Amino acid sequence: MRKRWLALGASTAVLAATLVPAAPAMAAPTFKVPFPCNQSWSGQTRTNHSPANAIDFNRTDDLGDPVVASAPGTVDVVTNLGNTSYGKYVRINHGGGYTTYYAHLNAFNVSVGQTVGYGRVIGYVGTTGGSTGPHLHYEQRLNGSAVKIKFNGAQALYWGTKTYTSDNGCGGSNTGQGTVNTAGSPLTVRSGPGTGYSSVGTVADGAKVTIQCQTSGTSVTGTYGTSSIWDRIGSGRFISDAYVYTGYDGYIPGVPRC
């Protein structure tokens, strides 16, 4: 009987020696709304969604609107499933088992292996795959399973529809730079993207400007030809891109659409 207890004790000692404390799980990234800074989108969750924890995002005339990375990571899937399922979609690997999915895209703006940060445009809202209308299907997954979505650490609304305002990329990492060139005259700043909007000031010829986003508006002929692109340089402050040197003929890559 005594030998039996000794044997059991030895066995227990060996087992204890081989047990290694489990490593603590990595904290989830700080995910943000997957749209450019200050944009507001309607996000819907529903029990019959597939997967149920996904969110469908919409806003008026959203076809072609930019979709941005909701957290830093590496793009590991850029693919097109055709007329079924997710259609054109991007997956970003954030480490620690966390991934995000961006589905039904109209077009891609990244490639596999690319490192992305907050506010980086990865594609554009579409209606590809099994979609019946333009929207973004968005998921957060942990070890392959869709989990309830959080933005800035706060859980999204389940179940129902809620408006989410993005603070993604507001630090300026996805802005553009330009130089005003009017051959001498100050450039009028408008309250909206067009000559029909009220004047809210001017910027001097030769001034450096930070472009927060770009959009289409009234066509203007200026120093750099005729363009319908307008650059937002502040809240309610737009200037015609026809008078701004950006180094690009058209929209600036990586700068979101307003």
Side-chain angles (χ1 to χ4, degrees):
M1 186 64 155
R2 186 168 178 270
K3 289 183 179 180
R4 181 169 178 262
W5 279 110
L6 285 173
L8 181 59
S11 175
T12 303
V14 171
L15 179 61
T18 59
L19 289 178
V20 177
M26 288 186 64
T30 300
F31 293 112
K32 295 182 179 291
V33 175
F35 298 103
C37 178
N38 292 327
Q39 288 190 0
S40 294
W41 287 73
S42 175
Q44 181 193 69
T45 56
R46 57 187 188 275
T47 56
N48 64 346
H49 206 172
S50 179
N53 287 331
I55 294 182
D56 278 349
F57 282 103
N58 276 111
R59 72 172 187 170
T60 304
D61 297 327
D62 55 8
L63 181 64
D65 281 357
V67 176
V68 306
S70 61
T74 302
V75 177
D76 63 0
V77 174
V78 177
T79 195
N80 184 1
L81 300 180
N83 296 323
T84 62
S85 187
Y86 291 172
K88 293 180 179 179
Y89 81 96
V90 169
R91 186 176 74 187
I92 300 175
N93 188 328
H94 305 281
Y98 290 94
T99 55
T100 49
Y101 285 65
Y102 311 77
H104 305 311
L105 299 175
N106 184 53
F108 304 122
N109 197 49
V110 288
S111 55
V112 171
Q114 188 170 343
T115 300
V116 295
Y118 289 120
R120 177 66 166 85
V121 177
I122 61 170
Y124 302 91
V125 173
T127 182
T128 58
S131 172
T132 57
H135 71 282
L136 175 70
H137 174 100
Y138 173 79
E139 298 175 25
Q140 292 174 4
R141 294 195 180 196
L142 176 58
N143 297 326
S145 298
V147 295
K148 287 191 173 180
I149 288 166
K150 292 183 178 181
F151 296 123
N152 294 320
Q155 185 178 289
L157 174 66
Y158 288 90
W159 308 95
T161 301
K162 177 181 176 179
T163 298
Y164 298 87
T165 299
S166 175
D167 67 347
N168 195 333
C170 291
S173 60
N174 60 332
T175 58
Q177 303 297 317
T179 302
V180 174
N181 183 358
T182 62
S185 301
L187 179 61
T188 300
V189 180
R190 301 285 179 178
S191 62
T195 54
Y197 288 87
S198 60
S199 171
V200 292
T202 61
V203 289
D205 181 32
K208 304 288 186 182
V209 293
T210 297
I211 300 168
Q212 298 174 346
C213 61
Q214 297 180 296
T215 189
S216 61
T218 306
S219 184
V220 173
T221 299
T223 308
Y224 300 104
T226 300
S227 176
S228 61
I229 299 173
W230 286 73
D231 305 329
R232 192 179 80 186
I233 58 172
S235 179
R237 293 173 58 83
F238 290 81
I239 56 176
S240 170
D241 193 66
Y243 289 100
V244 182
Y245 177 76
T246 63
Y248 296 94
D249 184 15
Y251 288 102
I252 303 171
V255 172
R257 303 285 183 91
C258 303

